[in-house]
Every structure is written in C-alpha cells, then in structure tokens.
Amino acid sequence: MAVPKKKKSQSRRDMRRAHHDKRSAPTLVACPNCQERVRSHHVCPACGHYKGREVITIAQE
C-alpha cells in the first residue's frame, strides 16, 4: 500500500480542497423571442418559449 513519505502542509492541503467551494454564476443568454436573460437549455420564464416554440402559456397582465 502506498504511504506518503512527507506530511502535506496545511497550505497545500487547503489549496487542494479550495476548488470545491468555488461556484460561478450561471451562464445567461438572451431569449430569441423576447430578449429576456435566461439560462441555457431552459424555458424562458417571461414568454414561455423554448427552441422557437411556445412550451408553456404565460398569463398576460
């Protein structure tokens, strides 16, 4: 069984674990129907369109 020859320092241990906590903001694209910012591959909450066709109906105010 492999055993480490030297103890990893706390700094190196923390650097190894550091990338698990980083979360980036979701990528937003413009809806081709209403130009509202929406996540990729999701139905637009403003107009209800996805891939050029209406998937859900949105109540008009």
Side-chain angles (χ1 to χ4, degrees):
M1 184 172 150
V3 178
K5 202 170 233 187
K6 296 283 185 178
K7 181 178 179 177
K8 289 272 189 183
S9 68
Q10 293 174 356
S11 174
R12 288 200 182 271
R13 178 201 63 201
D14 293 344
M15 283 191 289
R16 185 182 72 242
R17 295 177 180 174
H19 70 279
H20 295 292
D21 297 332
K22 292 183 181 177
R23 298 274 313 232
S24 59
T27 305
L28 300 176
V29 296
C31 172
N33 187 53
C34 67
Q35 307 308 316
E36 185 78 23
R37 303 291 284 172
V38 65
R39 291 181 64 186
S40 297
H41 310 288
H42 284 71
V43 176
C44 178
C47 65
H49 279 75
Y50 179 70
K51 287 194 173 182
R53 60 190 180 97
E54 188 173 0
V55 180
I56 57 174
T57 56
I58 304 296
Q60 298 293 329
E61 293 180 10

